Amino acid sequence: MTAPLMTLSDLADGAGRLQLDTDGAPVDLFRLVDLDATPQHDAAEAAALEAMSGPTPILVGVTSRSPSSVPTRLLEAMTCTVTSSGDAGCAPQRPVVEVDDVDDALADLESAISASPIAALTLGGLLQLTSRLPVSDGLVAESLAYSTLLAGREFAAWRSGTARRPVPDVADPVLVSRTDDILHVTLNQPERRNAFGRATRDGLIEAFTLAELDHTIRRIELSGRGPSFCSGGDLDEFGTADDVSSAHLLRVGQSAGRAIHRSASRVRVVVHGACIGAGVEVPAFAGRVEARKDAYFQLPELRMGLVPGAGGTVSITRRIGRWRTAFLALSGRPVATDVALRWGLVDGHA
């Protein structure tokens, strides 16, 4: 960890203001705030919050105290806060992330943010919007940010260094069957760990549109074949659109997450193995998500110079709050089933 710890007084003096270089890239984006050294008086808190009212860098709070002893408004002003305290709480929307090793967590955050500072800054601002907007509006905001980054230099650097393979044709990427009043929807590319590409997206939209129109379907069960529920977006399709503005319109119009959201109260998703990127973003729209013991959840888009683009800044924030979502997306760390259950990312064991 190389970023120095700032105090509340430093924030009040302007240390938390965003700085950009002449090319528009953020400078010293990763800032740590020592919440243990925070003076406990209203004037200092108010001055710091006022100084943070404009655009800010990534502000990560650090505390070893019980988070309940830190002013709530200050915690909520952070991008996220990490603690080793066992009193972080398990209620959804908590602005604190409990970790086993604070230094390791901060090192992961710093490494990922330093590698993709523009995407990281975009994510921080985006989460403040999408966590408050209605679902449809949030999906538009996310897609606009995602499309902008697709045209950016950080994604271009990742794409140029990552080989692209031909995308195979799959006859039935999504299987649909019915038993009485239950519709079974199954991701069906086990050899590709159910990578989320155009064919899978379109298959899901078709299945959930059917369910939306047929009110005799009481429940929709979504699962995946093979070793993993879904390993995330198909990397071989990333960046293949000729026009990012047209890709934005298509992403908003053809949203599997929105299709699931419209029938959420009837949807139960059972996940296992890798649930990466779209593999956690899309299920999070469902009314109920159950996970097997081998499931783990990860948002790796930042390392590609992107933000979550399958609806995750909308769906996941509604389950675990924008602060824990920020930690997942900024660190790229995997989260095991027990933590996901404690946070509310999943609703039970399968």
Side-chain angles (χ1 to χ4, degrees), residues 37-324:
T38 299
Q40 297 299 301
H41 53 85
D42 293 341
E45 180 185 338
L49 289 171
E50 175 63 26
M52 292 187 288
S53 61
T56 66
I58 302 298
L59 296 175
V60 178
V62 183
T63 181
S64 59
R65 295 187 294 161
S66 168
S68 60
S69 66
V70 180
T72 299
R73 290 194 305 165
L74 193 58
L75 288 173
E76 291 178 345
M78 299 292 116
T79 306
C80 64
T81 295
V82 296
T83 181
S84 58
S85 169
D87 187 32
C90 60
Q93 311 295 323
R94 284 286 290 162
V96 181
V97 180
E98 182 183 344
V99 296
D100 293 331
D101 189 311
V102 169
D103 287 339
D104 282 352
L106 295 178
D108 286 346
L109 285 167
E110 184 173 26
S111 176
I113 292 168
S114 298
S116 301
I118 295 175
L121 184 61
T122 300
L123 177 71
L126 177 64
L127 288 173
Q128 294 190 46
L129 289 175
T130 53
S131 61
R132 300 194 307 263
L133 290 173
V135 168
S136 291
D137 293 342
L139 289 172
V140 172
E142 179 184 283
S143 180
L144 286 169
Y146 187 88
S147 295
T148 299
L149 293 171
L150 275 178
R153 59 181 182 239
E154 292 174 355
F155 174 74
W158 174 83
R159 184 71 277 179
S160 66
T162 306
R164 180 186 285 124
R165 303 163 300 175
V167 178
D169 291 328
V170 179
D172 297 299
V174 177
L175 300 176
V176 181
S177 62
R178 181 168 179 169
T179 305
D180 299 325
D181 56 0
I182 300 175
L183 190 71
H184 303 278
V185 182
T186 307
L187 305 184
N188 185 41
Q189 294 190 77
E191 69 286 349
R192 290 174 65 80
R193 295 181 180 267
N194 295 318
F196 193 87
R198 296 185 188 95
T200 297
R201 177 201 65 198
D202 292 345
L204 282 175
I205 291 173
E206 182 177 351
F208 280 89
T209 300
L210 168 66
E212 186 178 6
L213 296 173
D214 187 346
H215 296 289
T216 66
I217 296 173
R218 182 176 56 86
R219 192 166 77 243
I220 306 114
E221 301 272 355
L222 174 60
S223 60
R225 290 185 60 220
S228 293
F229 171 74
C230 176
S231 60
D234 192 327
L235 301 186
D236 297 318
E237 291 187 4
F238 277 31
T240 56
D242 295 328
D243 181 351
V244 295
S245 55
S246 296
H248 158 66
L249 296 177
L250 182 61
R251 191 178 303 107
V252 171
Q254 294 288 99
S255 169
R258 191 204 309 273
I260 292 176
H261 169 69
R262 287 197 295 260
S263 299
S265 63
R266 294 186 288 159
V267 181
R268 172 179 174 261
V269 186
V270 176
V271 301
H272 69 285
C275 304
I276 299 174
V280 57
E281 298 171 52
V282 173
F285 282 101
R288 184 168 180 81
V289 180
E290 296 179 2
R292 296 178 185 163
K293 290 182 179 180
D294 67 339
Y296 66 93
F297 308 85
Q298 191 172 16
L299 295 176
E301 290 90 348
L302 194 69
R303 66 178 174 84
M304 307 171 201
L306 298 172
V307 296
T313 68
V314 179
S315 62
I316 297 175
T317 55
R318 278 156 175 75
R319 283 182 165 267
I320 66 173
R322 68 174 173 87
W323 304 275
R324 285 171 171 165

